[in-house]
Amino acid sequence: MMSDLPRDLLEERLSRVPVKSLREARFTCKNWKTLSKKRSFTKKHLAQEATSRESEFKVVMVLHCKVYLTSINLRGIHNGFDPSINRQAKLVSLNGYEKRKSNLRYKVLRFVDFAEEEFVEYEIYELKSNSWRVLDVTSDWEVEFYARGVSLKGNTYWFATDKFPEISTNLIHSVYFLLCFNFTSERFGPRLPLPFYPMDVDTVSLSSVREEQLAVLFQRKDNLHMEIWVTTNIEPEEVMWSKLFLAVDMQPLTDFKFGIADASFIIDEEKKVVVVFAKDKDVMYPTRNTAYIIGEDGYYKEVDLGKTTDKIRDPLVCSYVPSSAQIKQGGKRKKKGKLITD
């Protein structure tokens, strides 16, 4: 039992307990309450809290049509400590962002391409001119409606497929690949290869790794095997893939496949884990949003993200990279952050 541990070991354990939980722990045991009031413990606890904050990484999560800055703490997960995911702030206004001169260089791409209906439209919007321009694009590929783009180094990448796949003996032979839109040249690049060969029913999802590389999640429909691959070099016209980052048999863990329109994820290179955001395991009638933390050697944890009010959309996450620029907010100056998404 915890109460039977030597004082130095008990102090070490309790110092890792978050402040919010420590208040509750004090009422659990008289010895813990006494220990938590000692000066030596307070110093150690403050040091642990500082270390814990440094080990957190932040993401932007879209949940129930609201945007949240969210912290993910995986510190100590391989030593018996539980991971934590906490919403820290909610986006309530874009004032102070839209009027900044440095933001006038940004562009927005939108396109609709229905081959069957012969309706094609590609447009780009410039904040500087506050207007839309039509782009001349002829494509033999298509981006499925559920394939979310990921922005990396100023360019956006999608998972795409042939617009007119080959058909033989009543079978459709689709080819899948990466596609990049270069916002500088305002042109789509060539087809970039994936490190695997997915089928129509398999799950493929993209994510960014810091501001440097691209990660892709691939899960097979037939056996639920899941792979995570990370690039070693990624440019609009070239991609190189590293060795497999993570491979896991998901059947004994979840016994279901992440949806083709879902599986938003983030990886932690140091901990060698992936965090996948989805619904709970009740595939037919889910009631909770859930983060699945999956790693090597069978590591698996679930973090409850609360009740879901959206039966269709899963939580969506993207990387958040703080910058050195400062913005004034509520009379104080705070770090400005950058969203890595499309």
Side-chain angles (χ1 to χ4, degrees):
M1 295 180 63
M2 280 278 287
S3 57
D4 296 328
L5 293 174
R7 176 181 166 179
D8 56 343
L9 185 56
L10 178 60
E11 188 173 288
E12 175 67 23
R13 283 282 180 175
L14 285 179
S15 67
R16 295 175 180 267
V17 176
V19 173
K20 186 176 180 180
S21 302
L22 185 62
R23 296 190 187 100
E24 300 173 0
R26 285 173 174 169
F27 295 100
T28 304
C29 175
K30 185 177 180 179
N31 290 339
W32 295 4
K33 184 176 182 180
T34 302
L35 178 62
S36 65
K37 292 183 177 181
K38 291 186 176 294
R39 186 173 182 179
S40 60
F41 173 82
T42 302
K43 291 178 64 177
K44 183 174 290 188
H45 192 259
L46 290 174
Q48 289 285 2
E49 282 285 306
T51 303
S52 179
R53 285 193 297 271
E54 291 175 0
S55 64
E56 289 180 348
F57 63 95
K58 292 180 173 59
V59 299
V60 171
M61 179 167 62
V62 180
L63 187 65
H64 304 147
C65 298
K66 296 181 176 63
V67 181
Y68 298 94
L69 179 63
T70 304
S71 67
I72 301 177
N73 193 333
L74 304 178
R75 181 171 176 266
I77 61 171
H78 295 305
N79 296 315
F81 292 95
D82 290 331
S84 64
I85 299 178
N86 298 295
R87 282 177 278 176
Q88 294 188 326
K90 182 173 71 172
L91 180 65
V92 294
S93 174
L94 291 176
N95 293 337
Y97 176 84
E98 294 175 328
K99 297 180 182 179
R100 292 175 62 88
K101 291 183 179 180
S102 60
N103 293 327
L104 295 179
R105 59 189 176 87
Y106 288 116
K107 302 176 182 179
V108 178
L109 172 71
R110 71 179 179 187
F111 61 92
V112 179
D113 194 335
F114 293 123
E116 297 84 359
E117 301 177 15
E118 297 184 353
F119 179 73
V120 179
E121 185 176 77
Y122 290 79
E123 294 181 299
I124 196 163
Y125 174 80
E126 284 188 284
L127 270 71
K128 186 176 182 179
S129 62
N130 191 30
S131 62
W132 290 92
R133 290 185 286 107
V134 176
L135 297 181
D136 182 17
V137 176
T138 302
S139 65
D140 59 354
W141 41 257
E142 65 178 353
V143 177
E144 298 288 357
F145 71 93
Y146 56 79
R148 295 183 300 268
V150 171
S151 288
L152 189 68
K153 295 186 283 191
N155 303 309
T156 301
Y157 295 82
W158 288 272
F159 167 62
T161 186
D162 283 318
K163 183 180 290 186
F164 306 105
E166 295 182 9
I167 302 178
S168 61
T169 62
N170 296 323
L171 295 176
I172 298 177
H173 301 281
S174 298
V175 177
Y176 296 90
F177 46 87
L178 281 180
L179 190 69
C180 174
F181 182 78
N182 188 323
F183 276 91
T184 301
S185 64
E186 298 184 357
R187 290 289 181 268
F188 286 93
R191 300 181 178 197
L192 303 175
L194 290 165
F196 46 77
Y197 300 95
M199 303 295 287
D200 292 339
V201 292
D202 295 334
T203 296
V204 179
S205 181
L206 301 177
S207 180
S208 62
V209 183
R210 302 179 306 278
E211 288 186 272
E212 302 171 6
Q213 303 300 337
L214 194 70
V216 59
L217 179 152
F218 169 52
Q219 188 179 18
R220 292 176 60 91
K221 168 70 173 179
D222 55 0
N223 60 14
L224 304 187
H225 179 78
M226 185 179 74
E227 298 176 355
I228 307 292
W229 293 80
V230 179
T231 60
T232 54
N233 183 53
I234 179 81
E235 299 295 338
E237 299 184 356
E238 180 184 19
V239 63
M240 295 181 64
W241 295 96
S242 66
K243 293 181 179 179
L244 188 63
F245 174 77
L246 186 67
V248 181
D249 179 9
M250 295 298 293
Q251 194 155 15
L253 301 179
T254 61
D255 197 30
F256 74 90
K257 183 179 75 71
F258 295 116
I260 59 174
D262 309 315
S264 184
F265 74 100
I266 292 289
I267 69 168
D268 187 315
E269 295 174 284
E270 181 183 348
K271 303 293 190 302
K272 201 77 173 181
V273 299
V274 57
V275 185
V276 185
F277 293 80
K279 296 281 194 297
D280 59 45
K281 293 180 181 178
D282 189 339
V283 180
M284 296 300 296
Y285 305 103
T287 60
R288 313 292 294 180
N289 291 308
T290 306
Y292 298 87
I293 304 175
I294 307 148
E296 293 180 313
D297 303 321
Y299 181 84
Y300 175 80
K301 287 283 186 180
E302 296 178 19
V303 177
D304 181 58
L305 301 177
K307 183 179 179 179
T308 179
T309 58
D310 191 329
K311 302 300 182 182
I312 300 176
R313 301 178 187 86
D314 283 4
L316 172 66
V317 296
C318 65
S319 300
Y320 172 87
V321 181
S323 72
S324 58
Q326 301 288 312
I327 57 175
K328 192 172 184 179
Q329 196 175 64
K332 298 180 180 179
R333 302 190 72 83
K334 297 184 178 181
K335 280 191 176 182
K336 182 180 73 174
K338 185 186 294 184
L339 310 189
I340 310 303
T341 185
D342 60 314

